[in-house]
Amino acid sequence: NNQLKSNFSVELVEDKSIEISASSNISSNSFKIYDVSGRLVQENSFSNNITIDTKFFKKGKYIMNFYTNENIVESKKILVQ
């Protein structure tokens, strides 16, 4: 059973913010958030944890791509309501 372990935890907090945590063995992380039309909404670098304010996000679905050393390693879908 070869299950892939997620390196990133994403939690939507009361539709006001997104909390992201990275596993401790990864030091150089970044993310990009895209809306459903493919428009880049936000990008940032972080080490272990970051909180993103979503009050300026329109309601809807978003795709978060996570990168380590410029290589995409994981994608997650989020829903802002």
Side-chain angles (χ1 to χ4, degrees):
N1 189 3
N2 288 340
Q3 276 192 315
L4 290 174
K5 181 184 178 301
S6 176
N7 292 310
F8 300 93
S9 157
V10 176
E11 184 177 347
L12 195 57
V13 181
E14 298 176 2
D15 289 320
K16 294 179 183 165
S17 66
I18 301 169
E19 293 183 355
I20 303 171
S21 301
S23 60
S24 58
N25 60 345
I26 303 172
S27 59
S28 176
N29 303 301
S30 63
F31 67 85
K32 293 182 180 179
I33 301 175
Y34 298 91
D35 64 15
V36 290
S37 68
R39 184 177 64 91
L40 180 63
V41 176
Q42 186 169 356
E43 64 181 318
N44 210 334
S45 298
F46 67 105
S47 52
N48 292 77
N49 302 297
I50 191 169
T51 300
I52 304 162
D53 186 352
T54 59
K55 69 181 172 190
F56 297 110
F57 283 37
K58 293 180 181 174
K59 293 180 180 181
K61 295 178 185 175
Y62 294 86
I63 304 287
M64 294 189 74
N65 288 340
F66 292 96
Y67 303 83
T68 58
N69 302 324
E70 301 303 318
N71 295 317
I72 185 167
V73 293
E74 206 166 310
S75 287
K76 293 190 181 284
K77 295 177 185 172
I78 55 172
L79 179 64
V80 176
Q81 297 182 348

